[in-house]
Amino acid sequence: MTAHAVRTGIWFIGARGSVATTATAGCAAIAAGLHPPTGMVTETPPFSDAGLPPLTSLVVGGHDTVDCPLPKRAEALAAAGVLPHGLPSAVRAELAAVDEEIRPGGPLPGDTRTDEELITAFAADIEDFTHRHRLARTVVINVASTEPAPGEDDSRLPASSLYAAAALRAGCAYANFTPSTGLRSPRLRRAVESSAVPYAGRDGKTGQTLLRSVLAPMFVQRALPVRAWSGTNLLGGGDGAALADPAAAAAKNAGKERVLADTLGAAPEGEVHIDDVPAMGDWKTAWDHIAFDGFLGSRMILQTIWQGCDSALAAPLVLDLARLLARSHEAGLKGPRPELGFYFKDPDGGPAALAEQYAALTAFAERLRAAR
């Protein structure tokens, strides 16, 4: 069977959210030749002939707790300027087909099922999707809203961990593109250690932290001590509403601060603030204020502004991860994939600097190419 005859599944947790909708519409548009694969690292020369599944071979489904049809969600994103005008109409059939593959998530208020019953139900949904479409394999990717970190006394697994456990039970590779707990719950340690699938990181690196991971090594390499590093984020949409919860914001900020601590050797003074501004919709503005010492103790300042759309930044990376994890699974790799740390604020090992992470990623492409 040729590579083009094999089909691969992507199962999104949060399948009707902005990131999943953008990725789904974008994949359909690129596969149809309507748009170029801008932002997809796996479509650059270092990844050619690495055996990655073609975009035309990807089949999408997922879980979600909302019932807005995917074509309607895409229309709303186009009205907000996230998707190109006319794209939802051009790929309406593809979006409708994916919408038919989205299953109810949970737990919702009043759901009396135990954690085990929820995991079993979620895994059954994923296995049914894989078998009905005769897929070679399915990759599960969490792109749902950020959840607060669980407390020590919580008796139930957080939703992200229920879905992660279901992915393992269904024999699927897994990536957590959110700051939520996912596979990192201590209660899943045994299942993670005994799993035979590859998995990757936590919390996708798309905007402000991407820039931090480039700038922080510069200060280290130029021997310029950083005295303070503060940041502010203004955003709306679903992320803004979710991160208005202080506990969810704390989970998000932990990843932003970890990049600096890992690179600089210690966390500098300063905090990151996240403000929900509903009028901004799916767009975000992020400021950074960096105070550092120069030669003979001269005090210097660097300020940056990042303006963009998180969904459009995240979508190509999510598609990259799906393809890389599917190929890793096909090659018989299992366990944490530090080579994919390029995509995460909180990777599973590997270097912290973006340039070194990219080198590790391209070396991984060579490994996958040799495994063909």
Side-chain angles (χ1 to χ4, degrees), residues 95-106:
L95 292 172
V98 172
D99 196 64
E100 291 294 323
E101 298 296 339
I102 299 176
R103 299 294 177 261

Side-chain angles (χ1 to χ4, degrees), residues 7 27 47-48 54 78 93 127 147 164 170 173 235 238 255 260 267:
R7 297 202 297 171
C27 182
F47 298 87
S48 61
E127 290 169 343
E147 66 189 14
L235 70 161
L260 297 182

Side-chain angles (χ1 to χ4, degrees), residues 50-261:
L52 304 182
L55 294 174
T56 52
S57 75
L58 300 180
V59 183
V60 180
H63 281 116
D64 210 315
T65 57
V66 301
D67 56 8
C68 176
L70 203 60
K72 283 287 186 183
R73 187 74 181 94
E75 289 172 4
L77 290 175
V82 177
L83 295 179
H85 178 71
L87 181 61
S89 296
V91 297
R92 180 173 294 277
E94 290 88 343
L95 292 172
V98 172
D99 196 64
E100 291 294 323
E101 298 296 339
I102 299 176
R103 299 294 177 261
L108 292 169
D111 194 333
T112 60
R113 288 176 292 178
T114 65
D115 286 356
E116 177 60 27
E117 289 171 334
L118 287 162
I119 293 168
T120 299
F122 295 157
D125 288 337
I126 301 168
E127 290 169 343
D128 175 67
F129 170 75
T130 303
H131 294 153
R132 280 190 297 102
H133 290 282
R134 300 181 181 180
L135 305 175
R137 58 194 50 82
T138 295
V139 178
V140 176
I141 301 184
N142 182 20
V143 288
S145 296
T146 299
E147 66 189 14
E152 294 182 2
D153 299 329
D154 288 352
S155 61
R156 301 289 300 267
L157 284 170
S160 65
S161 295
L162 297 174
Y163 291 120
L168 297 185
R169 187 168 298 182
C172 298
Y174 172 83
N176 184 6
F177 208 72
T178 81
S180 301
T181 305
L183 289 177
R184 302 287 179 89
S185 170
R187 293 171 56 189
L188 297 184
R189 184 175 294 114
R190 182 174 298 178
V192 171
E193 290 175 349
S194 63
S195 69
V197 298
Y199 57 87
R202 181 167 68 170
D203 200 2
K205 184 165 53 185
T206 57
Q208 183 183 42
T209 310
L210 175 67
L211 193 58
R212 286 180 166 210
S213 67
V214 174
L215 291 175
M218 176 194 73
F219 289 104
V220 173
Q221 292 160 7
R222 287 289 301 272
L224 299 170
V226 174
R227 293 184 291 108
W229 197 317
S230 300
T232 296
N233 290 261
L234 307 178
L235 70 161
D239 274 352
L243 295 173
D245 179 349
K252 182 74 172 178
N253 286 337
K256 294 177 179 291
E257 294 166 357
R258 186 179 299 109
V259 168
L260 297 182

Side-chain angles (χ1 to χ4, degrees), residues 9-35:
I10 303 178
W11 189 265
F12 285 128
I13 309 304
R16 293 190 174 107
S18 296
V19 173
T21 304
T22 303
T24 301
C27 182
I30 297 168
L34 301 176
H35 287 271

